[in-house]
Amino acid sequence: MWLALGLPSQQAQTTPSHGAFEPAIQAFFAAHCYDCHNAQTNSGNLNLEAYRTAAAVLQQRDQWEQVLRKIRSGE
C-alpha cells in the first residue's frame, strides 16, 4: 500500500507509527477505494475495509503487491 501512495521503498520496509498510519490510510481509502472495495461491493474480491491497522496490511503483503500491479496498470 505504501507503494501505491508513492512512498520510497525504504519507508515501505518499516511500519509507520500507528498514530499516523490509521488516520492517513483510512482517509486515503475513503477518498479513493471504499466505494468499490468494501464489504458489500467487494469489487475484484478485495475488501479494503478489512485493513484497519498497519499490522493487518503487513500480514497481507502479497495482496498489496497485487493491488500495486493493478494500480500501475490502470485497472
Side-chain angles (χ1 to χ4, degrees):
M1 167 159 61
W2 296 276
L3 297 172
L5 296 175
L7 295 175
S9 62
Q10 288 122 343
Q11 286 181 315
Q13 299 294 329
T14 61
T15 305
S17 71
H18 289 281
F21 176 84
E22 278 85 12
I25 299 306
Q26 294 304 321
F28 179 86
F29 282 174
H32 303 284
C33 308
Y34 284 156
D35 286 345
C36 298
H37 299 288
N38 59 58
Q40 288 77 33
T41 308
N42 205 22
S43 293
N45 205 23
L46 178 62
N47 173 16
L48 292 176
E49 291 177 330
Y51 299 98
R52 295 287 180 195
T53 66
V57 171
L58 291 173
Q59 290 173 353
Q60 299 291 323
R61 284 182 184 243
D62 290 342
Q63 176 73 45
W64 290 103
E65 287 185 25
Q66 182 178 357
V67 168
L68 177 60
R69 284 192 299 273
K70 300 258 184 197
I71 290 169
R72 284 185 175 165
S73 71
E75 289 187 52

